[in-house]
Amino acid sequence: MRGALRPHGPGTAALAAARSWGVPGRLGWLGTARRLLVRSVAGADSQLTSPNSGKYRDTVLLPQTSFPMKLLGRQQPDTELEIQQKCGFSGLYSWQRERKVKSEFCLHDGPPYANGDPHVGHALNKILKDIANRYHMMRGSKIHFVPGWDCHGLPIEVKVLSELGGKAQDLSAMEIREKARSFAKAAIEKQKSAFIRWGIMADWNNCYYTFDGKYEASQLRTFYQMYEKGLVYRSYKPVFWSPSSRTALAEAELEYNPEHVSRSIYVKFPLLKPPPKLASLLDGSSPVSILVWTTQPWTIPANEAVCYMPESKYAVVKCSTSGDLYILAEEKVASVGPILETTFEVISTFSGVDLENGTCSHPLFPDKVSPLLPATHVTMAKGTGLVHTAPAHGMEDYSVASQHNLPMDCLVDESGIFTEDAGPELQNKAVLKEGTDVVIKMLQTSENLLKEEKLIHSYPYDWRTKKPVVIRASKQWFINITDIKTTAKELLKTVKFVPGAALNAMVDMLDRRPYWCISRQRVWGVPIPVFHHKTKDEYLINSQTIDHIVKLVEQHGSDIWWTLPPEQLLPKEVLSQVGGPGALEYVPGQDILDIWFDSGTSWSYVLPGTDQRADLYLEGKDQLGGWFQSSLLTSVAARKKAPFKSVVVHGFTLGEKGEKMSKSLGNVVNPDVVINGGKDQSKEPPYGADVLRWWVAESNVFTEVTIGPSALNAARDDISKLRNTLRFLLGNVAGFNPETDSVPVKNMYVIDQYMLHLLQDLASKITDSYKQYDFGKVIRLLKAFYTRELSNFYFSIIKDRLYCEDESDPKRRSCQTALAEILDIMVRSFAPILPHLAEEVFQHIPYIKEPKSVFRTGWINTSSIWKKPGLEEAVESACAMRDSFLGSIPGKNAAEYEVIIVIEPGLLFEIIEMLQAEETSSTSQLNELMMASQSTLLAQEPKERPADVIELNGTFLINLEGGDIREESSYKVIVMPTTKEKCPRCWKHTAESADTLCPRCAQVVGGK
């Protein structure tokens, strides 16, 4: 009893609230950051070095576990392989599909291209998907995830042909297809085995492949659904054309080279017939020319008009050098003159609309007329404000030609070479090479070239051959996306995008797309199922022909288009109407479908149920204009709904310094080398798959993701620290059975209850982060918890209780109860990210006799009774005093000092008193926190004290009941060297004399 020192508290209601520990409180003003200070103070746990020598060694309960602290060299990858085998990784997907559960989570796998070796981009994508799937599975959902591969298309065909060299020209379509199929199959097997090694959960015997007959048949059904609705049509239009691949390309198959060099030219188009409104202005005495600028001189032969902007101001100018008169936009006069190395005198200005009904003569062919036409696509950003218009070589040019019925003749063939119609000087010349040279020379000869200069600008390239494309008009098949854009954009508003900005990016890309060209002039793909008339410009497709072809493709694959005679590709009832077997009027078309249409229709084949909507699509940001878009467009066209509910978009992988990966820079990271090590394992050690997975999860995947030796080493170090924490937990629950030895929460030590309180908060935040696909936050939360809360704080406090109390003492069991819960929640928290480590830990939990897979035992399970905000006030206030104490003895052993804590009467005193009922104790919960030889709690300062004491003052704000109870209290910490001796068993300075046990240890040893 303290007698006269008993404080007068703040009232019974406040004390009851404090004692319940369950009050909705708030951290004291010092908060968590304050506790960080103490945890790294030298000497704070020096007295807790494991007492492992001397005659009492066998009486101390040191951690017992066979879980290794580190896996060195090949041990890491070898252990992972062993765990995959032992813990049934290969059967996990099938097991969870067979569970009787109500909810299903469907992640639709965007098919990687069946070309080349697995790379870190694959790893980033597949591991992100696997983390999401494993989390949802542990939460109790049945996972629907069917891995797929995109197997057709130009890249594979080009690769096969390039490997064959000169022999390729002699191959038939079927020979090319067979070789392409073999190539794709080999790539699939390589990639598949890598994905399995990374721990990706799936039924790898049941994947989808776009070259599978059933998949192709489903795709053709979707094609015809869209055709029936009038959304698929054939037309002569300008499209992106790859001369290097000899095929049309879609926007998604382009990449832009910012360093492309074009030969830009300024050309004059002599005015032939002045516009009526300018007749008086142009008296006819001096010749006038329209001034035009272009970066594509090779398109000049195909010119059919010059366009102007009706609302803009234009000027007639006189060239000071030649005396010639030119027309150009008024606002371009000042900038164009110096480029042409002259000055312009403005004769007069007029409105663009006044150019109406004027004509020019073609700069190469004087007899050809080029009318002046109004257009909305003319801008003043570059050039002269007057635009050369070649309908066969520009999308906007084509629109103008359609409006004004201009010719749209294309003078360029499939190889990008001028045809005979271009004239003898240009015939057989490649438009991007010598063809451009010849055009410029012809313009010089006709005296219509004013200037040529090199221009470095962004220009579209074929994403596979890495060579420039042209825009070229040809007969192609298109999807009319204008009719479905509005619906598609409305539906996108109902989709959750992570990050949110990806929605606007996708809408912008949709807006910029005028139409979708879906035909390709190659053989490795799904044929467009139409028959062309031999002599007329007509084609044949109807429900009967489609039904017949779909059945054939379903049974035999799309090879039938090339292997069966045309008569067998048509149903009998149609065959008799089109000339019969002997005189068939139609032949099968030679175009195949764009591979974005191939993969874009995967929802119709893969997604389950009648709804056929995935909970999640998760791919790289390039798919905003690729697979996300082709999937959305085909789904909206066929059935007016989006195929996804959520879309997660990640960035690209880059080298460690943020540079693009390339063999020439030597910064390409091979996932196989990351896992198994390279030739020189001192430079390229084997990290195992979990390090790769940790790197993926920890990265901010919503931007570009960097990888290199330092990132991998950092991931390995983080996992090493995590292993040490897990080893401590495993070692200290040895001999503990949660079913029989657990202590009820209300009877646990305050610090143990506090850890459960923190644990519940951690579990809630981790669950929420997984829900938001923010796996980086999961790792940040875990790292903060196991380094700050556990290693630096809790573990340093409890070692004495774990090692030196009696094995079954309730104080020790209280601690083990908390440790078992911490272990369980931590393992489940990181299991989706580090499945191999989670399973390895599960095999070492001593009280699980026949360990199941952690993935077969559910998600984190916490109890609402753990939530006790009022505990924060108790622990945080005690920690404030502990900080003061430990901060005053830097580098010293805290156990060699005694502490007197003086708190003015009030709520703070009552709270701290709950941690120590006696006035002075070396075994109280308060002294365990202080880590001192002994702690004394007083309500007023002692009258006498030694001369060499340290006195420290502080205040702490208590905030309980959501702010209803607020009280700021002062405290004083008095520190003095202890007079006690070091106990030879626990090493605490609590013994009465040297070489004798302290009272606690004497009782424990005596009891044994």
Side-chain angles (χ1 to χ4, degrees), residues 421-648:
D421 294 339
E425 287 180 80
L426 291 169
Q427 187 179 356
N428 297 329
K429 305 282 192 303
V431 297
L432 293 175
K433 292 178 182 170
E434 62 269 31
T436 295
D437 282 339
V438 174
V439 169
I440 290 172
K441 281 173 188 161
M442 289 169 74
L443 287 167
Q444 284 170 332
T445 305
S446 66
E447 297 184 350
N448 286 322
L449 180 73
L450 293 176
K451 173 86 174 179
E452 178 199 342
E453 59 183 3
K454 285 187 177 174
L455 175 75
I456 297 171
H457 64 135
S458 181
Y459 188 86
Y461 275 52
D462 183 328
W463 71 326
R464 293 303 180 182
T465 63
K466 311 297 182 194
K467 292 185 177 170
V469 301
V470 295
I471 293 176
R472 170 182 177 272
S474 59
K475 278 217 163 166
Q476 301 290 343
W477 289 90
F478 297 91
I479 291 176
N480 180 2
I481 61 173
T482 310
D483 291 358
I484 49 179
K485 255 190 209 180
T486 309
T487 310
K489 287 195 283 187
E490 281 304 308
L491 288 167
L492 280 180
K493 290 177 187 172
T494 67
V495 175
K496 180 188 175 184
F497 276 82
V498 180
L503 168 62
N504 290 337
M506 188 161 170
V507 169
D508 287 348
M509 287 180 182
L510 262 177
D511 279 337
R512 289 203 301 270
R513 193 171 194 169
Y515 42 77
W516 177 7
C517 174
I518 57 166
S519 47
R520 298 291 178 272
Q521 289 64 52
R522 307 298 300 196
V523 297
W524 179 229
V526 177
I528 293 181
V530 296
F531 298 84
H532 294 276
H533 198 280
K534 287 178 178 176
T535 55
K536 302 175 196 169
D537 188 15
E538 294 174 3
Y539 58 84
L540 170 65
I541 176 173
N542 58 40
S543 59
Q544 292 170 301
T545 64
I546 286 291
D547 286 346
H548 183 70
I549 291 161
V550 163
K551 279 177 193 165
L552 287 172
V553 169
E554 207 158 28
Q555 289 171 5
H556 310 288
S558 60
D559 282 352
I560 52 108
W561 197 254
W562 288 269
T563 56
L564 291 183
E567 294 80 8
Q568 290 182 33
L569 293 174
L570 287 166
K572 286 176 185 172
E573 58 272 28
V574 173
L575 187 61
S576 59
Q577 296 164 18
V578 291
L584 189 56
E585 297 163 2
Y586 287 84
V587 292
Q590 293 302 300
D591 291 344
I592 61 167
L593 283 161
D594 172 18
I595 55 169
W596 290 108
F597 191 89
D598 270 30
S599 58
T601 54
S602 58
W603 56 265
S604 67
Y605 180 73
V606 179
L607 297 187
T610 50
D611 190 38
Q612 289 197 301
R613 281 188 81 204
D615 292 290
L616 180 63
Y617 274 39
L618 190 163
E619 303 298 333
K621 64 181 184 181
D622 53 331
Q623 300 309 321
L624 288 167
W627 187 61
F628 293 150
Q629 206 177 108
S630 62
S631 298
L632 175 71
L633 293 173
T634 54
S635 179
V636 171
R639 59 198 188 134
K640 286 193 165 61
K641 62 181 174 186
F644 35 67
K645 296 173 189 172
S646 298
V647 170
V648 172

Side-chain angles (χ1 to χ4, degrees), residues 725-764:
T725 303
L726 294 165
R727 192 165 188 268
F728 182 91
L729 290 164
L730 288 166
N732 284 296
V733 292
F736 175 75
N737 182 347
E739 290 180 14
T740 55
D741 299 332
S742 288
V743 174
V745 174
K746 66 179 188 298
N747 299 340
M748 290 171 74
Y749 256 40
V750 169
I751 191 69
D752 301 336
Q753 290 187 50
Y754 175 69
M755 291 313 294
L756 293 184
H757 167 74
L758 292 181
L759 198 58
Q760 199 202 42
D761 185 53
L762 173 78
S764 165

Side-chain angles (χ1 to χ4, degrees), residues 196-345:
I196 292 168
R197 178 61 190 89
W198 302 341
I200 312 301
M201 178 184 70
D203 179 356
W204 292 103
N205 295 320
N206 286 295
C207 304
Y208 77 93
Y209 310 98
T210 60
F211 61 23
D212 177 73
K214 289 186 174 63
Y215 184 97
E216 293 173 326
S218 168
Q219 181 182 334
L220 291 174
R221 281 192 204 99
T222 304
F223 171 84
Y224 189 67
Q225 272 179 288
M226 293 165 69
Y227 177 82
E228 265 193 316
K229 292 179 179 180
L231 295 169
V232 175
Y233 64 97
R234 189 168 186 252
S235 179
Y236 178 82
K237 278 187 185 182
V239 294
F240 288 111
W241 186 276
S242 170
S244 53
S245 299
R246 292 174 57 89
T247 184
L249 297 177
E251 180 80 44
E253 295 169 299
L254 305 175
E255 60 184 26
Y256 285 81
N257 175 5
E259 300 298 318
H260 180 81
V261 180
S262 286
R263 296 172 69 180
S264 72
I265 55 170
Y266 285 85
V267 181
K268 60 181 187 181
F269 280 64
L271 195 63
L272 198 59
K273 177 188 143 197
K277 287 188 181 175
L278 298 182
S280 59
L281 187 65
L282 307 168
D283 58 10
S285 59
S286 302
V288 181
S289 296
I290 300 290
L291 202 54
V292 160
W293 174 78
T294 180
T295 62
Q296 306 299 313
W298 63 269
T299 61
I300 293 283
N303 175 277
E304 295 292 346
V306 174
C307 289
Y308 59 87
M309 191 189 287
E311 297 80 24
S312 290
K313 282 277 182 192
Y314 286 82
V316 178
V317 298
K318 185 175 185 179
C319 173
S320 63
T321 313
S322 65
D324 292 345
L325 298 179
Y326 301 125
I327 293 176
L328 73 163
E330 184 187 23
E331 68 179 83
K332 304 304 290 185
V333 171
S335 58
V336 173
I339 293 170
L340 299 181
E341 297 167 27
T342 188
T343 52
F344 289 145
E345 178 195 346

